Amino acid sequence: MDTTAKNAPLVEQRADPFVYKHTDGYYYFTGSVPTYDRIELRKSKTIADLKNAQTFDVWFKHESGPMSRHIWAPEIHYLDGKWYVYFAASEEEDIWALRPYVLECQGQDPLNDEWVELGQMQPADGDEKTFIDFSLDGTVFENKGKRYFCWAEKTGGQFAASNLYLAEMESPVKLKTVQFMLTTPDYDWERIGFWVNEGPAVIKNKGKIYITFSASATGACYCMGLMEADENADLLDRNSWKKSRYPVLETDYEKKIYGPGHNCFTVAEDDLTPLCIYHARDYEKAVGDPAVVPASDTRPLEEIVADPLYDPNRHARVMEVQFDADGRPVLLFKSPKTV
């Protein structure tokens, strides 16, 4: 299916998409289900076939307490011979008390084998500042024999600035180092609606590490920025990183792609061509759907339908990643011809 001309969705109604290509040759896909109440997985041999692949609900939210509300942005990773899912969740009793949690699969078939809860992601010993407030969007990557966890966190509640943090990992469920602030919303394009840096994703090229991130509120103003560092630098040193002055991906009104963001990176079937999987809407003004709002949300209806978080039509999409003369990733709204 050639989606080049119309930039058609890859998987409809799946925001925060994450695709992992495993050594078995399959692509494993997950993302935020519009009802925000479960972890769903699917797999296929090709990127295009993810669209119609069978879905498997591998975990459901709790009725109350931790992990009972806002099941957001799951990612599936294969670490040290086991499958893990990292996701954010809050509580029915405190809907913005978001924290990062971890699931571990008890077998090698993540679609059918049992998943167990490992609880909240743990900070390093002696770190009393990490994961104590609104925290979400954790991702994992490796460099030079070290494994890192990158996530978004707000200190001061829902309406504070959301920064990106980075730390080395001791294990799949615990950090080894204290948090290091990678980036805070510095520019105007990161401060529309909310002051936000979130949704980190990692791609490497020509000795450099690039971290894309999403910025601003989740409507049409949602966009993506870029951090970069040399792979041999100290990644936990702010001076090692450079930030893009302008967005590297934003709304394209001509192509009718609105609020692109919260991406991941994978490779095409040739194992060479890098791909960016991201979400976006087909229309500018997001409208929340009361049907996907939990019954415990007691806000007036007019507030709910004005909230883009409850608009189910953020669709997962795919584009090829190109690189400029300096090796930096270039993101253009042009889907792979093979998809």
Side-chain angles (χ1 to χ4, degrees), residues 123-133 153 155 177-179:
D125 293 339
D127 183 355
E128 298 180 352
K129 296 183 178 181
T130 297
F131 309 139
I132 63 171
D133 213 327
E153 185 164 351
T155 301
T177 61
V178 299
Q179 61 168 245

Side-chain angles (χ1 to χ4, degrees), residues 20-315:
Y20 175 81
K21 188 174 186 180
H22 192 41
T23 54
D24 62 4
Y26 280 92
Y27 292 95
Y28 291 81
F29 176 96
T30 189
S32 295
V33 176
T35 46
Y36 300 149
D37 63 351
R38 70 192 66 191
I39 303 293
E40 175 197 88
L41 300 176
R42 66 180 74 185
K43 74 173 185 178
S44 73
K45 276 288 190 179
T46 68
I47 290 288
D49 287 344
L50 287 170
K51 182 180 183 68
N52 298 311
Q54 181 181 358
T55 59
F56 294 78
D57 294 327
V58 299
W59 181 88
F60 290 89
K61 74 177 184 68
H62 295 193
E63 291 301 314
S64 62
M67 297 184 284
S68 61
R69 180 73 181 268
H70 287 156
I71 310 304
W72 283 352
E75 292 195 3
I76 183 169
H77 294 267
Y78 192 76
L79 308 172
D80 304 329
K82 292 185 177 182
W83 290 101
Y84 294 90
V85 165
Y86 296 86
F87 67 101
S90 65
E91 307 177 11
E92 283 290 347
E93 299 80 7
D94 188 352
I95 65 173
W96 301 115
L98 283 143
R99 300 292 187 274
Y101 294 93
V102 188
L103 304 177
E104 180 185 85
C105 186
Q106 298 305 284
Q108 293 298 306
D109 182 353
L111 304 185
N112 295 289
D113 289 337
E114 180 187 5
W115 287 84
V116 298
E117 299 170 4
L118 299 185
Q120 185 177 312
M121 189 70 185
Q122 296 299 304
D125 293 339
D127 183 355
E128 298 180 352
K129 296 183 178 181
T130 297
F131 309 139
I132 63 171
D133 213 327
F134 187 107
S135 309
L136 69 168
D137 294 355
T139 194
V140 176
F141 71 96
E142 296 185 4
N143 185 61
K144 300 298 181 181
K146 296 180 179 180
R147 183 176 292 155
Y148 295 88
F149 192 71
C150 189
W151 74 100
E153 185 164 351
K154 298 182 181 183
T155 301
Q158 178 198 4
F159 297 103
S162 173
N163 308 315
L164 280 189
Y165 294 90
L166 187 62
E168 188 180 343
M169 298 174 72
E170 177 181 294
S171 74
V173 296
K174 185 177 180 180
L175 302 183
K176 182 178 181 179
T177 61
V178 299
Q179 61 168 245
F180 151 68
M181 190 174 73
L182 177 65
T183 172
T184 190
D186 299 299
Y187 300 122
D188 54 353
W189 52 271
E190 302 171 284
R191 298 180 171 189
I192 304 173
F194 293 99
W195 292 27
V196 172
N197 287 171
E198 65 181 17
V202 177
I203 187 171
K204 301 177 182 180
N205 187 51
K206 294 185 177 179
K208 293 287 188 72
I209 296 176
Y210 299 94
I211 298 182
T212 55
F213 62 92
S214 297
S216 288
T218 55
C221 59
Y222 206 51
C223 59
M224 284 166 49
L226 183 72
M227 302 292 295
E228 62 180 274
D230 190 280
E231 65 179 10
N232 294 310
D234 179 0
L235 299 187
L236 301 183
D237 183 342
R238 185 75 179 269
N239 294 322
S240 297
W241 292 92
K242 179 182 177 181
K243 184 176 183 175
S244 62
R245 174 60 183 89
Y246 300 100
V248 294
L249 190 69
E250 58 188 331
T251 289
D252 188 317
Y253 288 88
E254 181 179 347
K255 291 184 172 65
K256 300 187 185 304
I257 300 176
Y258 300 94
H262 204 123
N263 74 298
C264 71
F265 294 102
T266 187
V267 292
E269 289 80 0
D270 61 7
D271 288 325
L272 295 173
T273 306
L275 302 177
C276 173
I277 315 294
Y278 67 102
H279 76 229
R281 294 185 180 88
D282 294 326
Y283 46 86
E284 180 177 6
K285 295 187 181 300
V287 179
D289 181 358
V292 302
V293 178
S296 56
D297 194 325
T298 58
R299 291 181 299 166
L301 182 61
E302 58 269 21
E303 290 187 19
I304 293 175
V305 298
D307 190 341
L309 282 176
Y310 293 117
D311 186 323
N313 294 316
R314 290 183 290 177
H315 305 316

Side-chain angles (χ1 to χ4, degrees), residues 314-332:
R314 290 183 290 177
H315 305 316
R317 304 164 188 266
V318 58
M319 68 170 74
E320 288 184 5
V321 179
Q322 301 176 20
F323 296 98
D324 66 16
D326 295 320
R328 295 186 183 90
V330 176
L331 305 177
L332 301 172

